[in-house]
Structure formats: C-alpha cells, structure tokens
Amino acid sequence: MAADHASRRAALRAVLADRGLDALLVTNLLNIRYLTGFTGSNAALLVTTDDDADESRTVVCTDGRYVTQIAEQVPDLRAVLARASADHLIASAGTHAAGWGFESHTVTVDEHTRWSGLGGKVTLTATPGLVEQLRAVKDEHEIELLRAACTAADRALADLIAAGGLRPGRTEKEVGRDLESRMLDHGADGISFETIVAAGANSAIPHHRPTHAVLASGDFVKLDFGAQVGGYHSDMTRTYVLEKAADWQRELYDLVLRAQQAGREALAPGVECAAVDAAARSVITDAGYGELFLHGLGHGVGLEIHEAPGIGAAATGTLVAGAAVTVEPGVYFSGRGGVRIEDTLVVREQAPELLTLTDKTLTVV
C-alpha cells in the first residue's frame, strides 16, 4: 500500500478554503514529508488552495543536493531549486495580492521578519497546526507502518527475554543497547527515542535515562521503548520483576494494569480526551495513589513520538476514528520503585485496535 499524498494535499486545500487563504507555506519538514513523501533535510512547500487537477501551481523547493531525490520521491509536483527554499517561494510570489498561511508554531521571529520584506503583496497569516490536525487521523498506509514498527518492538522484546538478556548482573545501559539492536534486527529503520531501562528505585523515575546501575534480584525493571519504520514510531512500556516478586509489587502492578485496561476500554470516537484520562486515573485515585500518577495518560503517535491528540486531565477535544494513541498509566513510589504499562492503539469505530501485542500479565523473569 502506497501513501496517497495527493489526497492529503486535497484535504489541506479544503481546510485552507474554509480559512479564506490562498495558500499555505509549509516549512516543517515532517509536514512536508506527510504531504509529499520528501525526506530531505531542506525544503519548503507551497500548497495553493485553488490548484487544478494537475496541481500545476503547487510547488516544492529544495536545494541542489536533492535533485535526484526530489525527482524520485515527489514526481507529481513541480520542483524548483534554491538553498533558501522558503525565501525563494515567497520572493517568487509575483505582484498580485494573496493571503498565505504559514506555520507560525515552527517559524522563528527572524524568519518571519525576513519574509515580510520579500513577499510584495503577499500577506502572511499565522496558521499554526493545520497539517498536524490532518496528521492526527491516520490513513491505512500510516497504520500499516505503525503496525510494522510495533511488531519490530514486540519481537525484539521477546528475543531479549528468551535470550536471558533481562537478568541480574547486567546494567541498565547494557539492556538498553541490547534491546535497541534487536529492534534493528527485526526490521526497524531506527529507534523511536532513547530506550528507557529503569531498575529498582530508578523505576520510580518516569523518564529515567539508563545508567551503569546493575539489575538485582527482586527489582522492578521498567522498559519504555519503540521502533521506527518508514518514519512512523511505536511506543510501548512493560514492567517486569527479576526472579522474585514481593506482595507490594504484585498489588501495585495489578492496580496499574486495571487502570490501563480502563483507559484502553474508554477509547472510542467522540469520547473527550480528558474523559479517557479520567477513566484510567480514577482507578488509581480510588486506590489512594492519585498523587503518584505523575503524568498524562497518553499521546498521539505517528511521524513524531509525541503528537496530537494529547490525552490528559487538561486535554481538550475528542477522539476520532483513525487516531493512533498511547495509553500509559503509571504509579511511582520515590526511592522504592514504580510501574508503567503502555500500549499503542488505533481508535476504531467498534473497538480500539491494539498494535503492541506483548503480554501484560505480571511476568517474573
């Protein structure tokens, strides 16, 4: 299945028309990738609202390093070459009056000041997040890539455990490097982010960075990691106990697992994002540990590891079918240990589709 970039641009044109804009100047490289397929490190894209069927007025600009790449990746759009790509598109606008949106959430003040002197009669209007709103709903091509990324992560974790890679005596850093290597072995193009390996008391730190701390019998070991395939990210957290589990660890794990299940079951089109957070958070709060759930329940995932929609107590908006999100409650006892359980899922009309398939039953390894 190939990405339908033309349909994505058509959807953007409809948004621009509703805003009364003549075009959108796209400078965020991930948004350019989403709309065209181009993966180079320098580009700007002008999507014109009233373009005809052959998109003759829509243009992508990059520099001479990417002559071959732009022809291969974006054969359906007119391409021009200029090192200062956005500047070139603005300066080439002509003398007729036009209203262009620009991605004000990623553009610097200096860039905007410079552009304002280049565009003649072009009026630049701040339009933050227009493409990101479209990206929040994944098409089946994107979901296929997300599924492949999650599969690479699932298989890598299974291999790690089967090979005895999660055991007393290893360091957090050793486990992290081992897991990352195995994701590449299973088809990942790269990792989604620096792998979190947090053992013992470190498992109570939500975003602990791996150290030379040595894993020990009786430790919680929290693994938060992801693979990247075709630019799309997976995100999964599993928490294990080494060799022997104490009663408090079993009770804490069961509480977080019940909260995670409640959050997953709340995912449905039309449900408020804050209500999904509340469904999971209430399980932990009712048990008396609400103050130890230190972060939001989840986030969107796709071309970025954190993207729209956000799922937290202060989140706004509602879920829509096709949104890819994480559900990741956690409870953290400072100085003692913590548990987080996280999946990547796709919101569907009937029931959410689970993409990270590694078992969530408490496992003592």
Side-chain angles (χ1 to χ4, degrees):
M1 181 185 298
D4 188 351
H5 298 109
S7 291
R8 296 175 185 175
R9 294 192 295 270
L12 177 59
R13 287 191 180 93
V15 173
L16 297 176
D18 287 343
R19 296 289 190 97
L21 294 167
D22 298 305
L24 178 67
L25 179 65
V26 185
T27 51
N28 180 306
L29 288 172
L30 285 179
N31 288 342
I32 292 170
R33 178 173 185 165
Y34 174 77
L35 293 167
T36 69
F38 181 64
T39 60
S41 65
N42 178 41
L45 171 70
L46 185 69
V47 179
T48 55
T49 305
D50 62 349
D51 214 341
D52 49 27
D54 63 3
E55 296 191 285
S56 61
R57 288 181 292 277
T58 291
V59 58
V60 61
C61 183
T62 186
D63 64 69
R65 295 172 296 167
Y66 298 110
V67 172
T68 300
Q69 184 175 335
I70 198 76
E72 292 176 347
Q73 293 184 329
V74 196
D76 53 341
L77 290 181
R78 180 167 60 93
V80 295
L81 299 178
R83 181 71 178 183
S85 297
D87 295 34
H88 177 81
L89 292 179
I90 295 170
S92 303
T95 59
H96 64 284
W100 291 8
F102 73 98
E103 296 183 307
S104 55
H105 57 304
T106 62
V107 170
T108 68
V109 172
D110 285 349
E111 285 173 325
H112 182 258
T113 300
R114 186 174 70 250
W115 293 350
S116 297
L118 292 173
K121 293 186 178 181
V122 171
T123 301
L124 294 173
T125 300
T127 52
L130 294 189
V131 181
E132 284 84 352
Q133 292 173 21
L134 299 176
R135 282 172 44 195
V137 180
K138 273 58 181 180
D139 59 34
E140 290 304 319
H141 172 73
E142 293 177 285
I143 293 171
E144 184 179 275
L145 292 173
L146 287 168
R147 193 179 291 117
C150 290
T151 297
D154 277 324
R155 291 176 176 173
L157 179 57
D159 277 1
L160 177 76
I161 293 173
L166 199 59
R167 64 178 185 271
R170 299 195 90 189
T171 68
E172 294 172 337
K173 282 182 175 289
E174 288 171 340
V175 173
R177 287 195 297 265
D178 193 351
L179 184 54
E180 290 174 352
S181 177
R182 292 176 189 274
M183 285 189 280
L184 297 176
D185 290 342
H186 282 286
D189 300 324
I191 60 173
S192 292
F193 50 89
E194 182 185 15
T195 296
I196 294 172
V197 181
N202 290 337
S203 63
I205 303 170
H207 278 186
H208 172 72
R209 300 187 70 180
T211 68
H212 292 291
V214 177
L215 280 60
S217 179
D219 277 354
F220 269 137
V221 181
K222 181 181 66 193
L223 305 172
D224 186 345
F225 62 103
Q228 187 180 152
V229 174
Y232 285 78
H233 301 71
S234 70
D235 198 356
M236 175 169 67
T237 306
R238 293 293 185 266
T239 305
Y240 297 96
V241 181
L242 297 185
E243 294 189 336
K244 56 185 179 182
D247 289 344
W248 74 271
Q249 290 174 314
R250 294 184 182 277
E251 292 169 3
L252 179 58
Y253 190 94
D254 178 69
L255 172 63
V256 176
L257 182 60
R258 287 189 286 112
Q260 208 258 356
Q261 180 177 352
R264 287 189 287 114
E265 291 176 349
L267 295 175
V271 175
E272 293 183 355
C273 294
V276 179
D277 180 276
R281 193 172 300 275
S282 64
V283 175
I284 294 171
T285 299
D286 291 348
Y289 299 121
E291 74 281 4
L292 301 181
F293 183 2
L294 304 173
H295 49 76
L297 181 64
H299 54 84
V301 63
L303 285 169
E304 294 177 276
I305 190 60
H306 290 92
E307 58 182 49
I311 301 177
T316 58
T318 59
L319 293 175
V320 294
V325 299
T326 66
V327 174
E328 49 181 299
V331 175
Y332 311 93
F333 286 96
S334 180
R336 192 178 189 190
V339 174
R340 181 164 67 250
I341 303 170
E342 175 187 21
D343 285 312
T344 298
L345 308 98
V346 178
V347 179
R348 300 288 197 181
E349 290 292 347
Q350 300 302 318
E353 179 185 355
L354 182 64
L355 299 185
T356 42
L357 303 180
T358 297
D359 183 50
K360 290 182 286 290
T361 304
L362 175 61
T363 301
V364 179
V365 296

